[in-house]
Amino acid sequence: MIELKNIVKTYYPQKSTEVKALKGVDLKIEKGEMVAIMGVSGSGKSTLLHILGCLSKPTDGKYFLDGEDMNEAKRKQVYKIRNEKIGFIFQDYGLIEDKSVLENVMYPLAFSKNVKFLKMKKTAQKAIADVGISELARKKASKLSGGQKQRAAAARAIVNDPDIILADEPTAALDSKTADEVMALLKRLNEKGKTIIVVTHDKRIADMCQKTYVITDGCIKEDTQ
Amino acid sequence: MKFLWMLKNEFKSSKLSAFLIFAEGVFILVCFCICISLSVDTLSAAVYFHSGFDGNSVKAAFKSADMDEYKEAFASDEIDLAVYVNYYFAQGKDGSTVFMGSYSESAFTELNLSYSGSPVDINKDYGGAVPAMVSRTLSKQYKTGETYDIGGVQVYVCGKLNDKNLWMMSSEFTGENFFMCYDKDGRLSALEKSAVGCGFFTTQKGRPIEGLINSLNSNELVNGAYEFDWRNKMSEDFDRLSGNLIIGILVFLISAVGFCANNVLTIKKNERDYYCQMCTGQKKSSIILLFAARMAVCLIAGVIAVIIFSKRLNTYFGEEIITSVNLLAASGLCVFLCLISSLPLLLNAFNVEKQ
């Protein structure tokens, strides 16, 4: 389903400030897998996530998503893929703080052509119910606790029913109990057939996934231990 | 519908910024309208004179109490186009004195009069009444579309002249209370039995009269033929205009800084939100479109506020400075300012690598 072939990403190429963030990454993730990508700060995790999420293009190499070469994809197609095939969860939740949970979850639907305006609210309410925070739908994001925010972010990520969920350090800002709850939520989504890719530096979180890849200085390898 | 929903959310999340854009829009529109109205006559006169006038001076205006004198001058071969007028006193409806100007047909066909209501249609029958345009100061008593008995002559009010047209009446005769009439059948001549003055304006052969007249002050409409030194006049006018220009540039700079500051703060505040929205499928172009729409709504609200304000302010400022043309030009400048102050920032806000 996801296949990276010899992915290279270089920032500021041929300048004195040139940075090689990824140096030939090969990665294959099958549909329905729950995978952790581990690495220290600056190892290239976020760059890899940006490429997987079609937010930036690699300098070299090939990225296939469901057999489609993403390097060749047109901009319009990329927007559609980000909206319909991929859901993002961020370390800092990425919610619009002065809007309600419902409004935040409705946003991806506003960009989708599959859901009509009149159905947006109902669809968002269902996603909020799926992550177990129906009673918070009308609350502003700024009034929520860290765990509640991450659940709201998860609701936003799944509202368009994407196949892949990319979670960038989803538990880093949470205490261990709340982190476990969020991971349990991601596991439940995985059991429903979603492919989950979790970027983390926490071994405990990585252990909850089926596979772990370690990224060091722009190179990746599977952690078989 | 979805776009409107997003626009509503955009406003909800940046109320203060929206209000500031609105307030700044009002400030800029009013300032620009003032600058434009102070400059436009000089600029149009400059364009007029510099596009083909021969020599440095031109026979420009003539005013006389002697009808024969002006008729003789009017018949001169040197003159290609003339607008002439006879002035009469009359008793207005409340007993006050009003001044009736009986203008030649050319005044209604050749001059681009500034007015509200309808212009005088020289071919139309106004039910036997003399069609006229009324000056702003009389417009409160004499309503557009009504017929009034003035000194025994039925006068139909077609529209209201803006103060810009005051050059057409000499202040020594009229003050600002006058009717600009098209008296084809000479009915006004019965008023007070005689004309109290007459005059005409001419221009060089083949040249429109209006640009020349607009550049003259009423005190330059002297008795006898007047040799108008347009180069000297332009030089004086541009000296005066340079002062306005400095004020205009200052307003432009202050406005640009204000818009930039507002946009920088709004974009910086929302940068992370834009990034997150893009991750969920929002297009760069639609974020820019939303931002532009929010700004447009604020500016349109500003324009409407200025129009309402100017309508309520039934004065020279409200009616002659905040004109639709000035407002349109000022709005154009405002939009230009918005574009240059927000587009580079917006484009930079979507640099995913720095998120």
Side-chain angles (χ1 to χ4, degrees):
Chain A
M1 181 189 202
I2 291 175
E3 192 174 7
L4 301 181
K5 282 184 179 172
N6 197 25
I7 292 288
V8 174
K9 180 71 182 181
T10 310
Y11 295 109
Y12 317 114
Q14 290 164 351
K15 286 184 183 167
S16 57
T17 48
E18 181 181 285
V19 178
K20 283 199 169 168
L22 297 177
K23 301 168 185 168
V25 169
D26 290 304
L27 181 67
K28 205 169 183 181
I29 300 170
E30 295 299 333
K31 189 175 179 178
E33 277 189 325
M34 186 164 177
V35 171
I37 297 172
M38 280 189 73
V40 293
S41 184
S43 58
K45 297 192 303 284
S46 295
T47 303
L48 182 60
L49 202 76
H50 277 144
I51 290 171
L52 288 171
C54 305
L55 285 165
S56 65
K57 284 194 173 179
T59 315
D60 202 7
K62 293 274 183 193
Y63 171 24
F64 295 99
L65 179 61
D66 287 340
E68 259 183 273
D69 186 350
M70 297 315 296
N71 293 359
E72 304 297 322
K74 293 205 168 92
R75 195 182 287 180
K76 213 173 168 183
Q77 199 183 346
V78 170
Y79 285 129
K80 197 168 183 289
I81 286 169
R82 279 212 294 264
N83 183 247
E84 292 172 8
K85 279 197 178 175
I86 302 170
F88 285 86
I89 299 176
F90 304 101
Q91 178 182 348
D92 64 356
Y93 325 116
L95 297 170
I96 304 173
E97 292 283 313
D98 58 359
K99 294 203 182 354
S100 69
V101 171
L102 185 65
E103 284 169 333
N104 268 290
V105 177
M106 281 167 79
Y107 254 95
L109 299 171
F111 316 136
S112 166
K113 284 188 177 153
N114 297 336
V115 182
K116 292 201 169 118
F117 176 71
L118 293 174
K119 292 254 171 100
M120 276 168 57
K121 199 171 169 183
K122 214 171 175 185
T123 313
Q125 280 168 336
K126 188 180 172 300
I128 293 168
D130 284 350
V131 298
I133 52 167
S134 291
E135 71 285 1
L136 302 174
R138 298 271 164 200
K139 255 196 170 179
K140 273 193 177 182
S142 57
K143 306 275 181 203
L144 303 179
S145 69
Q148 290 168 336
K149 279 182 182 177
Q150 205 55 293
R151 280 171 183 273
R156 187 186 56 187
I158 62 168
V159 72
N160 267 335
D161 195 23
D163 296 330
I164 304 161
I165 290 173
L166 298 178
D168 187 5
E169 305 269 12
T171 57
L174 306 175
D175 60 69
S176 58
K177 185 173 169 280
T178 318
D180 288 347
E181 284 172 11
V182 169
M183 283 310 291
L185 173 66
L186 290 177
K187 272 197 145 184
R188 270 210 315 277
L189 293 172
N190 177 239
E191 281 159 14
K192 285 182 184 173
K194 310 280 179 209
T195 307
I196 313 277
I197 301 169
V198 182
V199 169
T200 182
H201 62 267
D202 188 339
K203 183 83 172 71
R204 203 175 63 85
I205 297 297
D207 287 344
M208 295 182 197
C209 300
Q210 294 151 4
K211 267 186 196 172
T212 301
Y213 291 93
V214 179
I215 187 161
T216 316
D217 289 334
C219 300
I220 199 165
K221 63 174 184 188
E222 191 175 348
D223 185 3
T224 48
Q225 289 180 342
Chain B
M1 285 299 281
K2 285 182 175 179
F3 185 81
L4 289 177
W5 178 80
M6 286 191 280
L7 189 60
K8 186 193 86 182
N9 281 337
E10 189 83 8
F11 272 104
K12 267 171 78 179
S13 62
S14 49
K15 288 182 202 126
L16 181 64
S17 159
F19 175 74
L20 287 174
I21 293 173
F22 164 78
E24 200 169 3
V26 169
F27 170 76
I28 292 168
L29 289 169
V30 171
C31 289
F32 279 159
C33 278
I34 294 170
C35 290
I36 292 166
S37 66
L38 288 174
S39 321
V40 73
D41 284 347
T42 307
L43 292 175
S44 59
V47 170
Y48 172 74
F49 285 118
H50 284 283
S51 58
F53 242 99
D54 303 328
N56 289 331
S57 65
V58 59
K59 185 183 275 187
F62 186 94
K63 191 173 76 187
S64 170
D66 181 353
M67 190 85 79
D68 292 334
E69 196 180 350
Y70 96 77
K71 275 183 178 165
E72 191 182 317
F74 182 58
S76 160
D77 284 346
E78 291 174 31
I79 295 162
D80 191 49
L81 174 67
V83 172
Y84 64 89
V85 57
N86 279 339
Y87 304 115
Y88 304 91
F89 285 118
Q91 286 262 297
K93 65 174 190 172
D94 58 352
S96 63
T97 302
V98 292
F99 298 89
M100 312 296 285
S102 173
Y103 282 79
S104 60
E105 190 178 306
S106 54
F108 300 97
T109 56
E110 303 294 338
L111 302 183
N112 188 14
L113 297 170
S114 171
Y115 63 90
S116 54
S118 306
V120 168
D121 182 349
I122 57 166
N123 298 315
K124 191 175 167 183
D125 179 14
Y126 290 91
V130 172
M133 306 287 278
V134 67
S135 65
R136 186 177 58 81
T137 47
L138 284 183
S139 66
K140 290 174 192 110
Q141 296 164 264
Y142 299 92
K143 303 291 179 200
T144 297
E146 301 283 326
T147 303
Y148 296 93
D149 184 321
I150 298 174
V153 177
Q154 296 296 307
V155 176
Y156 177 83
V157 179
C158 297
K160 179 178 70 170
L161 283 171
N162 291 340
D163 285 2
K164 217 174 177 180
N165 305 297
L166 281 176
W167 57 265
M168 293 190 305
M169 299 291 280
S170 170
S171 56
E172 69 191 78
F173 286 133
T174 67
E176 291 177 351
N177 298 326
F178 76 96
F179 286 89
M180 180 192 181
C181 306
Y182 177 56
D183 185 19
K184 196 177 176 182
D185 306 321
R187 277 167 288 176
L188 291 180
S189 59
L191 293 172
E192 301 294 322
K193 305 297 176 203
S194 66
V196 293
C198 59
F200 72 89
F201 315 94
T202 71
T203 188
Q204 206 167 18
K205 271 196 161 187
R207 300 294 306 168
I209 196 167
E210 199 190 14
L212 176 62
I213 290 168
N214 277 341
S215 68
L216 295 172
N217 296 324
S218 58
N219 60 5
E220 286 169 326
L221 303 175
V222 294
N223 286 324
Y226 174 64
E227 287 294 329
F228 177 62
D229 184 345
W230 62 269
R231 281 192 194 277
N232 189 36
K233 168 84 170 148
M234 283 291 93
S235 152
E236 285 171 15
D237 282 356
F238 271 104
D239 283 347
R240 203 180 65 242
L241 189 66
S242 58
N244 299 342
L245 200 67
I246 291 168
I247 297 169
I249 290 169
L250 276 176
V251 171
F252 189 87
L253 288 177
I254 292 167
S255 313
V257 168
F259 269 130
C260 278
N262 192 338
N263 288 334
V264 166
L265 293 175
T266 309
I267 291 167
K268 285 279 166 208
K269 179 177 161 266
N270 295 336
E271 211 165 26
R272 181 73 183 154
D273 294 347
Y274 295 149
Y275 170 71
C276 294
Q277 285 177 25
M278 279 177 65
C279 291
T280 57
Q282 172 78 303
K283 294 174 190 164
K284 277 183 198 179
S285 57
S286 64
I287 294 179
I288 293 174
L289 202 65
L290 269 174
F291 195 87
R294 187 179 68 98
M295 213 169 226
V297 169
C298 294
L299 290 179
I300 289 168
V303 171
I304 292 169
V306 170
I307 291 171
I308 292 171
F309 168 71
S310 66
K311 292 282 174 207
R312 295 212 164 215
L313 212 67
N314 192 18
T315 60
Y316 178 78
F317 182 80
E319 295 186 3
E320 310 268 325
I321 304 281
I322 314 286
T323 63
S324 50
V325 175
N326 288 355
L327 206 52
L328 194 68
S331 304
L333 280 167
C334 223
V335 169
F336 176 68
L337 268 177
C338 289
L339 286 178
I340 59 166
S341 63
S342 58
L343 260 185
L345 292 163
L346 265 180
L347 293 174
N348 190 42
F350 301 127
N351 186 358
V352 170
E353 318 295 1
K354 70 179 183 182
Q355 303 292 333

